[in-house]
Amino acid sequence: METLSRVGPPEGLRGHVPHLCSFCKCPARSRCSRRGLDPSEQRFFVLLLLVFLLETSLAILFFAYTDKIDSYAQQDLKKGLHLYGTPGNVGLTNAWTIIQTDFRCCGVSSYTDWFEVYNATRVPDSCCLEFSESCGLHAPGTWWKAPCYETVKVWLQENLLAVGVFGLCTALVQILGLTFAMTMYCQVVKADTYCA
């Protein structure tokens, strides 16, 4: 009776496994010709780990500095109002139009934010209760009064469960990627020890 002195693929498959792995783009491809491991085997894992740690750090910083982020966001949005309707800023113009129409709001913190943009008492037509051409020139009683920043913020808080589930699913996929990358690396190390 023959005893098994080594662990590895059966003798008949030994030459075919590296070629099959090479065909499938497996990192363990044809490693038997080299001695030692290439440090690039760990790059994918390290890259995934860095991205995951960066995202985690940003999430922690976001929750730690929510008040400062709020004030910076409002300032930047108010600066962005000045680009509304200008050439080359179609995306920004469409975004403000959609937000103000769908959320029934006007301006960042008040409809008066638009007064600085137009240097007059007027707002874009997307701020009007009843949309019509040049309705933004009419009296303030015909405009949405709710500020868009607070309205969107409340909407996000109401839908926090969906945002949280999305974030957790993204984190789970990244953790699975880290796990599979490390498992693949360990298999390469194990395959290399068999070939040595």
Side-chain angles (χ1 to χ4, degrees):
M1 178 181 267
E2 184 182 4
T3 60
L4 294 174
S5 60
R6 65 172 176 76
V7 179
E11 198 64 44
L13 293 177
R14 200 166 211 201
H16 300 291
V17 171
H19 296 291
L20 181 63
C21 287
S22 159
F23 177 76
C24 297
K25 305 292 184 199
C26 177
R29 63 192 180 279
S30 303
R31 301 194 108 345
C32 295
S33 61
R34 296 195 332 232
R35 294 190 63 83
L37 278 174
D38 186 4
S40 67
E41 298 294 335
Q42 297 176 19
R43 286 185 189 156
F44 183 67
F45 174 80
V46 170
L47 182 65
L48 278 177
L49 182 64
L50 287 175
V51 168
F52 182 73
L53 292 175
L54 180 67
E55 289 174 348
T56 305
S57 303
L58 288 174
I60 291 169
L61 288 173
F62 177 78
F63 287 112
Y65 295 104
T66 303
D67 295 335
K68 287 186 179 182
I69 291 171
D70 270 353
S71 65
Y72 288 137
Q74 288 185 32
Q75 289 172 3
D76 285 345
L77 288 170
K78 285 181 182 179
K79 288 178 187 175
L81 290 180
H82 292 280
L83 300 174
Y84 183 87
T86 58
N89 290 305
V90 176
L92 183 121
T93 302
N94 289 340
W96 271 111
T97 300
I98 291 168
I99 288 171
Q100 291 181 144
T101 304
D102 290 353
F103 286 98
R104 299 178 178 186
C105 59
C106 189
V108 177
S109 56
S110 170
Y111 64 87
T112 58
D113 295 337
W114 289 107
F115 296 174
E116 292 177 32
V117 175
Y118 291 117
N119 292 323
T121 307
R122 73 166 294 211
V123 296
D125 294 339
S126 58
C127 282
C128 298
L129 297 169
E130 299 278 331
F131 181 80
S132 64
E133 194 66 35
S134 300
C135 64
L137 296 171
H138 301 148
T142 62
W143 306 330
W144 300 113
K145 299 288 188 278
C148 288
Y149 187 81
E150 287 301 319
T151 305
V152 172
K153 189 174 168 184
V154 167
W155 180 84
L156 282 172
Q157 288 171 345
E158 289 172 354
N159 294 290
L160 195 58
L161 179 64
V163 173
V165 167
F166 176 76
L168 288 175
C169 288
T170 303
L172 179 66
V173 167
Q174 289 176 332
I175 290 170
L176 285 173
L178 286 168
T179 305
F180 291 145
M182 185 50 76
T183 303
M184 187 171 60
Y185 174 71
C186 290
Q187 291 299 321
V188 169
V189 170
K190 191 185 290 186
D192 199 43
T193 57
Y194 290 142
C195 296

